[in-house]
Amino acid sequence: FFPESARQLQGLNRGGADEVSSDWLDINMWATMKGGRKATEMLEQRLEQYYDRNRAKEVVPVRPAGWTTARWEEQLTMWTDASGATVIAWPPNWRDEASGGVKEIWVFADDRAGKGYARAYACKQIKELLQNLPREVDEPAEAEAGASSSTAAAAAAAATDRTEAGCPGEGEEAASASTPQSWKQFQDHSGNKYWHREPDGKWFYERDTRWQRFLDDGTQKHWWYNLEGG
């Protein structure tokens, strides 16, 4: 059994991040007690070598408010598409409510294939987004304050979204009183266009159906509107 598992892991190392595509996999062994322990030890050593060379980790500091399993899966896919690295969530059972949700984000890219830049870029995007997410709160008073703060932040963000994309009107006054923010357009390794905002790290793909582009007749400028958050 072990020579075959070692061969498969070598194939994984050669393939790099593109091969880490099925989220989490279970490895089952059938062996004697002694042989099983030895195989497990060697397998773990091989995995640690792979992790040391190709993996980076970003800790999720708080549980993002309102993030469902579907929202996490969508975000993981967006990070992967935008960076070219493979991005998965830890622990393996993070989808189970009892697990407490996502604790870390693991980013894979093979340095030997010249993809270290993809891992660094993904980590930058992940860190910026996680630092600006509203967190879940348990205490009633704290929750009430958090809800008020989140509502105000959402309104300001919506106004800034319209202003930075070229929409005139109320958003201009709201944005001028807050920290300067700017949208820039980028293209991922697959040719998909997306927008990124500094300094809060907010971003979206143009193909995302939650975002719609409109043309202002007066200025002849296009602007984007989020159908869910404004």
Side-chain angles (χ1 to χ4, degrees), residues 66-82:
W67 276 46
T68 62
T69 297
R71 178 68 181 89
W72 267 114
E73 290 175 339
E74 178 186 40
Q75 187 63 59
L76 293 168
T77 299
M78 291 178 69
W79 280 326
T80 295
D81 289 346

Side-chain angles (χ1 to χ4, degrees), residues 63-72 133-137 150 228:
R63 189 169 182 173
W67 276 46
T68 62
T69 297
R71 178 68 181 89
W72 267 114
L133 286 175
R135 67 185 182 91
E136 289 187 351
V137 292
S150 297
E228 292 184 356

Side-chain angles (χ1 to χ4, degrees), residues 13 43-57 106-112 116 119:
N13 285 335
L43 182 61
E44 289 176 347
Q45 289 176 353
R46 179 61 64 87
L47 286 172
E48 286 303 321
Q49 291 172 3
Y50 179 80
Y51 288 159
D52 290 343
R53 185 173 63 250
N54 299 303
R55 180 190 64 179
K57 296 190 294 184
W106 289 14
V107 183
F108 291 91
D110 194 341
D111 282 336
R112 295 184 302 182
R119 184 172 61 247

Side-chain angles (χ1 to χ4, degrees), residues 78-216:
M78 291 178 69
W79 280 326
T80 295
D81 289 346
S83 66
T86 295
V87 184
I88 65 175
W90 182 92
N93 64 335
W94 64 269
R95 293 178 177 85
D96 299 334
E97 185 63 29
S99 71
V102 178
K103 301 294 194 307
E104 295 177 352
I105 305 296
W106 289 14
V107 183
F108 291 91
D110 194 341
D111 282 336
R112 295 184 302 182
K115 293 186 177 181
Y117 70 92
R119 184 172 61 247
Y121 178 76
C123 288
K124 179 177 181 294
Q125 297 298 310
I126 293 167
K127 186 178 297 183
E128 289 178 346
L129 178 61
L130 293 179
Q131 287 176 345
N132 290 280
L133 286 175
R135 67 185 182 91
E136 289 187 351
V137 292
D138 298 322
E139 295 298 328
E142 198 174 352
E144 183 178 348
S148 176
S149 175
S150 297
T151 301
T160 306
D161 288 347
R162 294 191 294 271
T163 300
E164 297 299 343
C167 176
E170 297 177 351
E172 295 180 355
E173 296 180 3
S176 63
S178 61
T179 303
Q181 295 176 324
S182 62
W183 286 99
K184 291 184 179 180
Q185 187 186 66
F186 297 90
Q187 183 171 292
D188 67 21
H189 72 292
S190 299
N192 301 305
K193 293 181 180 179
Y194 65 96
W195 291 83
H196 179 266
R197 186 174 72 188
E198 295 288 355
D200 62 358
K202 184 179 179 65
W203 67 296
F204 67 92
Y205 269 109
E206 289 190 356
R207 68 186 184 191
D208 188 339
T209 57
R210 294 174 301 178
W211 288 83
Q212 298 293 317
R213 191 175 76 158
F214 299 91
L215 175 66
D216 183 87

